[in-house]
Amino acid sequence: MYSEVNIRAPAKINLGLEVLGRRPDGYHRLRTILQAVSLYDRLRLRRRSRGIRVRCRGLPECGQNNLAWRAAAIFLERSGVRGGLEIDLVKGIPVGGGLGGGSSDAAAVLLGASRLFCVSPTPEKLHEWAADLGSDVPFFLLSGTALGTGRGEIIEPLPPLRRAVRVLIYDPGFEVSTAEVYRRFRRRRLTRKVDKLNILARRWQRGGLGALGKAIFNDLEETVFNLYPRLAYARGRILEQGAKGALLSGSGSCLFGLFPAGGEASRAARVLGAELPGSCRVVHFLPPRQRWGVVKR
Ligand code: C5P
């Protein structure tokens, strides 16, 4: 058995997010293209005799509402291992930013704890536990690029983008409630004639960054921009700084801009970081998860 597992939990952005309507269970049916990016939370997992303890720097909530805590509870309950879990979490991903930080932490706990206790739940079991934790959690078991359907939890891997892209992430410094955004969301009455997700998927496979940048879309953007008009302004400023496309990620609050490889994204991040409230950073797309973290015997 290992004494500890250190694991990085990456953020995601949604390159396309189509909301198809409300389901009887209150969730919304989605079609979304998710992409993991190189912005991370860090977790250290250790065994303890019993119970769960989560310590997190930079987060007020470390109890039973924290997704890492809930992932630990589900793992201990359903894997049948004996013992408890101690988790040290260092947040690098903004909280309430639409970047999936909490969901990624939860997936990292499921993967890391399996490693720590030397158990191998089947991919189907892991997926089931992940989906019970939240709609975005299953994506982070795989990371990379994927199409998400259902409420976002049905994941189909997509091939990685063949060209290098720099991604500017703008964090306005406040949180948005996903539940509130979905509550306020109203689908446009017009039946959609253009399949935007299909167009995006095709541009993903071939076509330049310019074409890809024009194809990215997020059906939640209008609802969130109505609540926070300053985010619509910030999106405009990212485009004026040379992004080939800019968008709200998930239900916000963070925005991202796609730039060609080279120094343009860093220059834009410096300009916008000085001009807008909050902060900017530059990251890149990640391939599918290959390693389950660094382990210590
Ligand atoms: O699944 P998760 O717990 O991350 O979702 C947070 C909230 O976002 C849900 O309680 C629900 O209100 C809303 N949601 C939704 N449809 C989805 C995903 C999330 O309405 N597909």
Side-chain angles (χ1 to χ4, degrees), residues 26-30 103 133-136 150-152 178-179 182:
Y27 278 92
H28 290 75
R29 284 189 300 121
L30 305 182
S103 303
L133 285 160
S135 312
D136 280 343
R151 58 183 167 90
T178 303
Y182 277 106

Side-chain angles (χ1 to χ4, degrees), residues 28-127:
H28 290 75
R29 284 189 300 121
L30 305 182
R31 288 204 301 164
T32 179
I33 293 183
L34 299 137
Q35 171 63 58
V37 295
S38 59
L39 173 66
Y40 301 97
D41 285 348
R42 283 163 209 280
L43 295 97
R44 185 176 66 186
L45 275 61
R46 283 187 285 199
R47 272 179 281 120
R48 54 193 261 135
S49 51
R50 64 194 156 86
I52 300 163
R53 184 163 165 200
V54 182
R55 275 187 299 245
C56 27
R57 259 189 273 157
L59 247 197
E61 176 59 77
C62 280
Q64 303 193 5
N65 288 330
N66 180 283
L67 265 182
W69 196 100
R70 283 167 44 204
I74 283 202
F75 174 83
L76 293 172
E77 195 184 293
R78 302 192 190 174
S79 68
V81 303
R82 287 166 66 93
L85 261 174
E86 184 169 309
I87 300 169
D88 284 292
L89 171 59
V90 181
K91 292 297 290 181
I93 305 171
V95 176
L99 299 175
S103 303
S104 190
D105 296 345
V109 168
L110 296 180
L111 294 173
S114 301
R115 191 75 196 247
L116 187 66
F117 287 93
C118 297
V119 292
S120 310
T122 60
E124 291 76 22
K125 278 261 167 305
L126 274 175
H127 181 276

